[in-house]
Amino acid sequence: MTNHRSVARHALILTLAMTLTSCLSDSDESATDVSLAITSPISTSEMDTTDPTVSLAGTASSDAGIYEVSWSNDRGGEGVADGTDSWQTNGVALVLGENKITVTAEDVAGETTSQSLIIHRESGENGSVTLAWNAPTARIDGSPLTNLAGYKIYYGRMSGVYDYEVEIDNPGVSNYVVEDLVSGDWYFALAAYDANGLESEHSNEVAQNII
């Protein structure tokens, strides 16, 4: 009986047709009673944006009382937030790529604590990649492949981790344009399948950076 890997491997050739991830929160773990939380624009740990600026908001507290909340961007820019126990910033400028925004709360005793957000600003213009391949003609055991039925394109933002899939149910197709790709690194692999639904192993992986 033919097994799951019975469809032959085949080449995947990448041709680029050009036409940003995270948000990391970490606290200063010095032994103080100052607390700080960033609650807006997100309270989770990941964020991408195409906006040129971002506004932050949150809370801070200390037994001694909060003196000031300030922010800085490692790509340039710094300032003092409006408010203390409940604070906000407006119009923090972002450059394309990675921006590490650090917010620091200082109490009246001079103790501080900080949290940072890593925000990727994307260009706002999505790109595309054209994939092209050669159809397989034989199975792994060398026997002819006579019932090729189609292909599956697997792709994602991490090597070997494919969160997206496109099925092409036409064995005569030998190229496909993957569209609506945000800026950053993308990874692609291809598999073929026969009329019985038996699918090949993934092809070699190819990568492309979308600017």
Side-chain angles (χ1 to χ4, degrees):
M1 181 174 65
T2 306
N3 62 31
H4 180 73
R5 298 181 177 177
S6 61
V7 185
R9 289 189 178 184
H10 45 280
L12 177 62
I13 304 169
L14 176 70
T15 304
L16 177 64
M18 279 289 188
T19 357
L20 211 186
T21 54
S22 67
C23 182
L24 178 63
S25 177
D26 55 87
S27 302
D28 178 359
E29 297 187 1
S30 58
T32 75
D33 57 1
V34 183
S35 65
L36 172 68
I38 300 172
T39 59
S40 178
I42 57 170
S43 58
T44 57
S45 62
E46 294 187 7
M47 178 181 175
D48 295 327
T49 185
T50 59
D51 296 332
T53 63
V54 66
S55 295
L56 307 176
T59 60
S61 64
S62 169
D63 293 340
I66 297 298
Y67 167 68
E68 181 181 85
V69 177
S70 59
W71 63 269
S72 65
N73 185 348
D74 69 339
R75 301 298 297 275
E78 60 184 18
V80 176
D82 296 325
T84 52
D85 293 355
S86 178
W87 56 267
Q88 64 179 8
T89 70
N90 294 313
V92 176
L94 302 173
V95 301
L96 288 174
E98 184 178 292
N99 297 255
K100 183 177 182 181
I101 313 297
T102 300
V103 179
T104 301
E106 180 181 358
D107 69 9
V108 296
E111 301 290 351
T112 64
T113 190
S114 299
Q115 286 193 353
S116 296
L117 295 175
I118 297 177
I119 303 175
H120 281 227
R121 180 187 166 197
E122 300 170 349
S123 67
E125 296 183 3
N126 293 351
S128 64
V129 165
T130 298
L131 302 174
W133 58 89
N134 297 318
T137 58
R139 298 182 182 274
I140 290 176
D141 62 4
S143 61
L145 175 59
T146 60
N147 62 343
L148 178 65
Y151 307 94
K152 290 182 180 180
I153 297 172
Y154 297 93
Y155 63 105
R157 302 297 300 272
M158 296 176 62
S159 177
V161 179
Y162 308 121
D163 298 319
Y164 306 94
E165 175 185 330
V166 175
E167 182 172 352
I168 303 170
D169 58 0
N170 183 346
V173 173
S174 60
N175 61 79
Y176 187 87
V177 179
V178 182
E179 300 180 308
D180 201 28
L181 300 173
V182 299
S183 59
D185 292 327
W186 287 90
Y187 300 86
F188 304 85
L190 189 73
Y193 63 89
D194 66 13
N196 297 319
L198 297 174
E199 185 175 323
S200 73
E201 293 181 347
H202 290 165
S203 69
N204 58 295
E205 181 182 80
V206 291
Q208 181 59 55
N209 179 266
I210 301 296
I211 299 175

